[in-house]
Structures are given as C-alpha cells and as structure tokens.
Amino acid sequence: MRIIHILNHVQEIGNGIVNVAVDLACLQAKTGHEVAIVSAGGEYEALLAVCGVKHYHLDQQRNPINIIKAAVRYRAIAAEFQPDMVHAHMMTGIVLARFLRYGYKYALVSTVHNEFQRTSLLMGLADRVIAVSKAVQASMAQRGIPENKLRVVCNGTLGSPRTRNLEDYQPLPLQRPAIATVAGMYKRKGIAELIAAFEQISLDFPQAHLYLVGNGPDRELFEAQAQATSVAERIHFEGFQPEPQRYLKSCDIFVLASHRDPCPLVLSEAREAGAAIIGTQVDGIPEALEYGQAGLLVPAKDSKALTEALVQLLSNSDMLYEWKNRANQNLEWLNIARVHQETLAVYRELS
C-alpha cells in the first residue's frame, strides 16, 4: 500500500499528534508499505529517513497566498507519489486532501486527536474517521459525524521508534517524594490546580517537590502562581525535555490534571515507568487508566480532590507501592504495534 500522512510539521516538541503520525509512518514503512509524510518539516525528518519514510515539504500556513501555493504543491506531491491512502492528522491537511482529490483514486482517512477544537468537525470530510478514544468517538457522533464512518483506535506509544527501551534511560536524582507532570503549559492541562494542590500539601509533606515538565504559552502564568506560594523553591519548571522518561522513572507520583485530553500518550509512558498515577475523569484519561484500575481518578478543575488524592498516596507507603504496581500491569494493549495493526485494518476497509 502507498500511504501518505499529512500534518503541519514533524518537530520534536512533545506534540502528541506529531508523535502518533511519526510512529505510524515508521511502523508502516518497516512492514513493507511505501510511506511518505507531507509536512513543513522538523527534527523527526532524520528518523523518518532511517525508517524508510519519504518526506515531502509542504508549508500549510493559513494565509490566502500560501494556501494557493500549498494546493499546487500538494497536487504535485500526489502526482509523484500516487498514494492509495492519504491519512490526515490536522485540519489544513484534511481540507487539502479532500478538495484536491479529483483525478486521484486514493481513499482518505483522518484521525481526530483534539476533538474539543471546533474545527475538528472538518475531520469528518474523510471516508473513515479514527477517534483516539471511545470518549472522542461518542463526542464526534454527537456532533454529527456519521457513526458508520467512525472507528476507535486508542492511542498507545510503547515500543515507539522515537524512543529507546525504558531501561536505557538514566533516572534523575529528583528530590523525594517527587510529584511530576509532563504536559504542555496550557490552562487546559490543569497545571494551576496541580500547583494549588501542591501548596495545600506542602506543610504536611515538607520533603515533597513538584516537577513541571513542558513548555507552552501559559508557562509565565503558572510561574507567577508558583512564585506567589510559600513553597516556590520546591516547584521546579523543567521546560521541554526530549527524554521525559528520566522524570517518569524517577518520580513517585505522576499527575495529569487536564480539563480536556482525548487520549494522552504520556499516560502509557508513565504506566510503563511504574509511577503511581493520578488523572482526571475527562475524555480519554479514564480509558488510558482502565477506568481507575491503573490510576486514581479525580474530577477535573478540582484542586481539593487532587489534594486529597496526593495526601492519600504520600501518607501511606503501602498504598503508594500498590498504585505503582497497578500502573505497571496490563501494558500490552498500550503498544504502538497494536495501534499500527488497528490503523491498517481501517485502511483495508477502504481498499
């Protein structure tokens, strides 16, 4: 099969959409398919080349002149590569692939990664629409995408060609007990609630430290919030880290306090690392934590509930050990190989 993945870029910045597309493209190429990625480029181009994935440069910035250039360029790429399947991961890509399809016989698949965005409805232009969790499938059906188009392929990242084996990462000398998150610095990731909860527990657990791994537009806001607490010296902003596994292996508790999160890849990595996990009861987080079997679930936007969960784990070493162990069970379904096979099954429906 000749497969094109189209997305905005392939930068190594912790973007889950990019990571999913790169993983799929590499595994598809390694199993004998002819695969190309169409994007504005980035650091992952080197990995794609090693895996046998061709990269075509396409600038999809949304201004009138550039869109016209992108349309001409996309048609030229399609003419050269002659795809059987085009898999769009972002909004501009689905529009280009759908409305410039005339004269070509390729089937069109999209993946809804961030269904909370209004523009995600455009992903319904595809022949099949992959939802990254059952929660996303239900949401997209409710918003009008025909159910006969929708398929669920839950995210999983273990065994990714982007990463090494977990044992190859050196743990960091974090100050313990260590609480960590790995997330973009966006309000929707619940960083404000996590900082507030940490401040609440800080007097009872004076040795605890909080590590915030990631960058984003709201970082300065969170830094100001942290500075206003009495424990600013115990809250560490670590920025983007290309090897977050080193934090996941070293922390005692991993927290993902998101307000919205369709199916975060980091939860599979935190589970593999054996951290005790606290996540919010939104979108695909309960699925990734097997509905509370692999991690504690708390309501979103509720720093009091998050505080109580942190106190539970920090005040009872047996409970902390139990939740670390529970996170580390039943990991096979979180492997990228399963995502690869289920995605190919969607393609075959259209071939």
Side-chain angles (χ1 to χ4, degrees):
M1 196 181 300
R2 300 181 65 80
I3 305 163
I4 280 179
H5 292 270
I6 182 168
L7 58 158
N8 293 356
H9 62 81
V10 287
Q11 295 170 22
E12 188 179 358
I13 56 173
N15 183 305
I17 300 173
V18 171
N19 292 348
V20 168
V22 168
D23 285 350
L24 280 174
C26 289
L27 263 70
Q28 289 165 355
K30 286 182 175 181
T31 52
H33 300 280
E34 294 290 324
V35 186
I37 279 187
V38 174
S39 85
E43 294 83 359
Y44 281 131
E45 285 184 62
L47 173 64
L48 295 172
V50 168
C51 293
V53 178
K54 189 172 178 61
H55 183 268
Y56 290 96
H57 190 271
L58 181 67
D59 181 352
Q60 297 168 60
Q61 293 181 71
R62 294 197 287 273
N63 63 68
I65 293 175
N66 196 70
I67 286 294
I68 292 169
K69 289 180 179 178
V72 173
R73 172 69 177 149
Y74 175 80
R75 290 283 294 178
I77 292 167
E80 179 183 322
F81 191 79
Q82 290 291 316
D84 305 304
M85 185 69 55
V86 174
H87 190 155
H89 296 265
M90 295 176 176
M91 188 269 285
T92 308
I94 188 68
V95 171
L96 288 172
R98 173 64 178 81
F99 291 106
L100 299 176
R101 181 158 63 164
Y102 60 89
Y104 298 106
K105 295 181 179 179
Y106 61 76
L108 182 56
V109 169
S110 66
T111 294
V112 179
H113 295 275
N114 287 335
E115 54 80 27
F116 54 83
Q117 295 175 337
R118 285 185 300 173
T119 53
S120 66
L121 270 176
L122 288 168
M123 306 312 271
L125 292 168
D127 305 315
R128 289 289 184 278
V129 180
I130 293 174
V132 296
S133 64
K134 292 175 184 174
V136 169
Q137 179 192 39
S139 174
M140 297 310 291
Q142 192 172 27
R143 292 171 65 190
I145 291 183
E147 291 192 26
N148 63 354
K149 274 191 178 185
L150 285 162
R151 302 291 182 270
V152 177
V153 179
C154 289
N155 278 342
T157 191
L158 306 187
S160 165
R162 295 174 291 103
T163 58
R164 305 196 303 273
N165 291 329
L166 185 64
E167 56 269 22
D168 293 336
Y169 292 99
Q170 290 297 313
L172 292 164
L174 303 183
Q175 299 184 75
R176 313 285 287 272
I179 303 161
T181 192
V182 177
M185 294 289 113
Y186 297 89
K187 291 178 184 176
R188 71 174 177 88
K189 289 291 188 177
I191 308 297
E193 288 83 5
L194 178 53
I195 293 171
F198 181 75
E199 184 178 21
Q200 288 298 309
I201 69 162
S202 59
L203 286 177
D204 291 331
F205 302 97
Q207 304 303 313
H209 283 252
L210 175 61
Y211 295 87
L212 304 171
V213 180
N215 272 332
D218 297 325
R219 176 171 171 169
E220 288 185 7
L221 185 73
F222 302 137
E223 287 177 332
Q225 179 189 357
Q227 283 300 317
T229 71
S230 59
V231 288
E233 74 284 354
R234 288 159 55 193
I235 302 175
H236 310 277
F237 287 83
E238 301 293 287
F240 169 72
Q241 297 290 330
E243 295 185 345
Q245 293 84 356
R246 300 184 70 196
Y247 288 86
L248 299 175
K249 286 181 74 169
S250 307
C251 72
D252 299 289
I253 302 171
F254 178 82
V255 179
L256 192 63
S258 304
H259 306 165
R260 304 301 310 268
D261 227 327
C263 193
L265 295 176
V266 70
L267 287 180
S268 58
E269 295 169 342
R271 288 184 60 179
E272 183 185 38
I277 300 172
I278 302 171
T280 42
Q281 293 168 321
V282 294
D283 300 337
I285 291 177
E287 289 170 62
L289 294 177
E290 299 181 55
Y291 303 97
Q293 292 299 305
L296 291 165
L297 292 169
V298 298
K301 304 182 183 180
D302 189 340
S303 59
K304 185 174 182 290
L306 183 52
T307 299
E308 290 170 356
L310 286 168
V311 169
Q312 270 189 297
L313 293 175
L314 290 171
S315 59
N316 188 327
S317 58
D318 289 341
M319 180 181 282
L320 180 65
Y321 177 80
E322 180 189 347
W323 281 104
K324 286 184 174 187
N325 189 53
R326 288 173 71 160
N328 202 231
Q329 303 299 309
N330 192 32
L331 298 179
E332 186 59 34
W333 74 278
L334 294 169
N335 199 288
I336 185 61
R338 188 265 308 160
V339 179
H340 164 59
Q341 289 300 328
E342 291 182 4
T343 302
L344 285 181
V346 176
Y347 294 175
R348 292 188 188 106
E349 290 182 25
L350 300 169
S351 60

